[in-house]
Structure formats: C-alpha cells, structure tokens
Amino acid sequence: QNGVMSGLMQMLLLKVSAHITEQLGMAPGGEFREAFKEASKVPFCKFHLGDRPIPVTFKRAIAALSFWQKVKLAWGLCFLSDPISKDDVEKCKQKDLLEQMMAEMIGEFPDLHRTIVSERDICLTYMLKQAAKQIELPRASESEPRKYIPAVVVGVVGMGHVPGIEKNWNSDLNIQEIMSVPPPSASSKIFKLVVKATVFGLMGYGCYRIGQRTVQFILSMPAAQSYLQKLTEIRSP
C-alpha cells in the first residue's frame, strides 16, 4: 500500500521493535498506550493523535536518503543485535546523553534526522499549539462580550522531541509542506523500472527453465515414449 521501500523500512523497524521487546520484556510506545487509557477515564476528555502519519514520514525519509545511505541504514537495522537493558533505557533519559545520541544521528544521517526528528518537532509543536488555544464560552446573546478559558492540555511526546518543541513554540509554523510526500525523482523512477524489469525477467526465465525441464522429464518417462511411438505409427502411411 505504501510502496516497496516504505514497506521494507516498516518491516525493518518492526524487527527493531521486536528486538527491544525481547530484550526489555515490554514493547516500545507503552507511554502512549497508558496516555490513551488515562485519557479515556477523564470525562469529556478529547484524545488526539498529533504526530505526522507514519507513511508520510517514511516516504519523506526514504526520498531524502541516497541509495548508499538506504543500504547502510537497512544493513544496520537488519543486523541489530546489541543487548539492551532497563539501565540503558534510564541512561537515555539523561539530557546530555540524549543530546549526544542526537548529535551522532545528525552526523551520520543528517537528512534522516531532518525528516524523522526536526520535521516532526514542527508538526508536534503545531498540533500542541492548536490544542492549547483558549476555549470560547457560549454566549447568551451577540451583545454579550466574549469570554475565554484556558485549555487544559497534556502532551505525551518522546524525550527527543522536547528540545525541538521548546525551540519552535514561539514561531509562526506552517506544516503544509512537511505533510506532503515529494514526487519521485527521475533517477528513482529509472531505478524502480530497472528493478522491476530485472525481477520479472528473472521470474520469466525461471518459469521457462522449470517448464523446459518438466517437459524433458515427462518425455523421458517410458509411458510417454511409448505413447509418442504409437502416435508416430498411427500417423505413418
């Protein structure tokens, strides 16, 4: 549904999620599930998913990476086997270590950091600001002055997004551009056509070879040879 590269990336990230779950005994994203449970207990509480849709993020991230960066990232995700402990998770909550990890990601995959972290910082900030707008109270008549009350908002976000949200909070944000998927480049289209042609060509050749060997095997059977001999005798004058 979301494209081959995006689908493969999601499969690799699911593998990473399974690895973390196996190591820690709990699945990533538990804080968001708990937030949903608690919100459902509060009367008249509105629950809103404020992050950018995953397919958009994946497609923008894949489009931003070069071919070799995609290979490097996929290789790293495929062979992820480092042990993870709960102490390691607690260490990641330290601001200095978190900033260091972010800096390493920027250095190794700057375009990936921009699409997965920085752009989502803007999106999350925009959604939080929309939710935090003051609420206008209903008026008995048009002549009655408008009255507002502050909105009570609880935002649950990943720790890595907090600095970006604080940085963007007082900015005038426009998320239209980062909510769209850029069209594929000419080189990307050519690469996809070559890959498809290669795959279908190999499949066709494989079917041809299998069919050829199957026919040869059937013809080599005594029953088939006897039947062909009888046909030859019948046709001969």
Side-chain angles (χ1 to χ4, degrees):
Q1 287 182 339
N2 299 324
V4 176
M5 291 301 297
S6 181
L8 289 174
M9 188 64 69
Q10 289 191 47
M11 289 173 64
L12 289 173
L13 291 177
L14 284 173
K15 177 182 179 296
V16 174
S17 177
H19 172 69
I20 295 172
T21 304
E22 182 183 2
Q23 293 286 319
L24 299 178
M26 56 183 179
E31 64 273 30
F32 303 112
R33 287 186 284 273
E34 286 300 318
F36 176 75
K37 289 179 184 177
E38 293 302 318
S40 62
K41 298 176 184 177
V42 180
F44 308 108
C45 179
K46 294 181 180 179
F47 183 82
H48 181 66
L49 297 172
D51 203 349
R52 184 170 63 181
I54 291 176
V56 176
T57 298
F58 277 163
K59 287 181 179 180
R60 287 186 65 86
I62 291 167
L65 294 174
S66 67
F67 174 76
W68 293 113
Q69 284 178 322
K70 292 173 186 174
V71 172
K72 184 179 180 182
L73 179 63
W75 181 269
L77 294 176
C78 280
F79 295 96
L80 179 69
S81 58
D82 297 336
I84 305 170
S85 66
K86 291 184 179 181
D87 290 337
D88 294 330
V89 176
E90 292 300 321
K91 288 177 182 177
C92 288
K93 295 179 182 179
Q94 299 174 13
K95 185 177 180 181
D96 293 340
L97 182 60
L98 189 65
E99 289 178 353
Q100 181 184 344
M101 292 169 64
M102 287 294 182
E104 289 175 0
M105 183 180 179
I106 293 172
E108 194 166 3
F109 296 103
D111 294 321
L112 193 66
H113 180 274
R114 173 177 55 80
T115 52
I116 291 184
V117 180
S118 300
E119 288 184 358
R120 287 174 59 223
D121 288 345
I122 295 172
C123 181
L124 290 167
T125 307
Y126 179 85
M127 294 299 183
L128 281 169
K129 289 180 72 173
Q130 292 297 311
K133 286 183 176 180
Q134 289 186 327
I135 302 170
E136 183 180 356
L137 294 174
R139 294 182 295 167
S141 63
E142 290 294 330
S143 60
E144 185 179 345
R146 297 178 185 272
K147 294 181 181 179
Y148 299 89
I149 59 171
V152 179
V153 180
V154 177
V156 182
V157 299
M159 285 188 65
H161 292 291
V162 174
I165 292 172
E166 292 176 346
K167 176 184 175 183
N168 292 308
W169 189 259
N170 294 319
S171 303
D172 186 17
L173 303 174
N174 184 2
I175 64 169
Q176 293 301 320
E177 183 182 350
I178 62 174
M179 294 297 286
S180 61
V181 179
S185 62
S187 59
S188 176
K189 290 180 180 178
I190 293 170
F191 176 74
K192 287 181 180 179
L193 286 174
V194 170
V195 170
K196 286 182 180 179
T198 304
V199 170
F200 284 118
L202 290 173
M203 288 176 63
Y205 179 73
C207 291
Y208 166 74
R209 292 293 294 175
I210 292 171
Q212 188 181 41
R213 290 185 179 182
T214 303
V215 171
Q216 290 176 351
F217 174 74
I218 293 172
L219 292 177
S220 66
M221 296 174 66
Q225 290 181 356
S226 176
Y227 180 73
L228 290 172
Q229 187 176 0
K230 288 180 181 179
L231 284 176
T232 305
E233 291 174 356
I234 292 171
R235 289 182 179 181
S236 59

